[in-house]
Amino acid sequence: RSDETEQRAGDIHASIRAAGFLAGPIVHGVGIGVGIPVEEDGHTHVEPSYSIGYPGRFFQAALTLYMEIPIEDDNESGRAAGSAAYAVIRAAGWLHLIAEISTERTLSGEEEGEWRADVAAGFRVFPFGGSDASIAFGVKAPLAGDHYDWSTLVALMYHI
């Protein structure tokens, strides 16, 4: 591990997810995302996902499994598989507190076999009153693995 600090713009990630209630209080969902690099050395990828969760009124929890599949056909970009578990506490009608732990392993390409584990914390606000639009902010910190990158997270969401 290097002690050098690298500042990167990261990726812009857009996704659409559908969730449906099955039996009891458990929700299953599927989704597809697209990662678009901001920097020249980044790689565009699609990201299918499956989620299972508990959508309680004051507490929510979910586990998401995903696969990153590169669109470019080169030796540098590779497939990766990961998971993320998160919990949300509804502190107020307009404020949700969020905690997440995630892992990812590169399955092919230039960085095959590399992995990482991260933890993130943040909050989500609903600035437009009763609207389904929200903004989330957070910080992701490294726990272990081959990459030790801190990230600032910003997400714009709209629930239909």
Side-chain angles (χ1 to χ4, degrees):
R1 171 171 105 100
S2 161
D3 288 334
E4 295 179 21
T5 301
E6 179 180 338
Q7 293 185 350
R8 298 188 43 191
D11 296 341
I12 295 174
H13 189 87
S15 64
I16 185 166
R17 293 195 170 107
F21 285 89
L22 292 182
I26 302 300
V27 174
H28 296 263
V30 294
I32 188 79
V34 177
I36 302 167
V38 175
E39 298 178 341
E40 288 183 30
D41 64 344
H43 303 283
T44 303
H45 64 272
V46 295
E47 187 177 291
S49 63
Y50 167 76
S51 299
I52 185 169
Y54 170 74
R57 183 173 176 164
F58 298 105
F59 175 79
Q60 299 174 3
L63 172 66
T64 298
L65 305 174
Y66 64 89
M67 173 80 72
E68 286 185 6
I69 303 168
I71 293 176
E72 292 93 357
D73 188 22
D74 59 27
N75 292 333
E76 292 179 13
S77 50
R79 292 178 181 233
S83 62
Y86 75 88
V88 177
I89 296 172
R90 186 177 181 173
W94 58 273
L95 175 65
H96 295 181
L97 305 176
I98 305 167
E100 177 183 283
I101 186 165
S102 60
T103 62
E104 184 176 282
R105 176 174 291 278
T106 304
L107 303 175
S108 64
E110 193 175 80
E111 298 177 347
E112 182 176 350
E114 292 187 3
W115 68 280
R116 72 172 196 254
D118 302 300
V119 63
F123 61 94
R124 180 175 168 192
V125 295
F126 295 81
F128 307 112
S131 172
D132 288 327
S134 63
I135 303 169
F137 301 94
V139 175
K140 183 184 275 190
L143 287 176
D146 298 313
H147 296 281
Y148 289 86
D149 300 324
W150 285 75
S151 303
T152 303
L153 309 170
V154 178
L156 305 173
M157 294 176 264
Y158 187 82
H159 289 260
I160 299 174

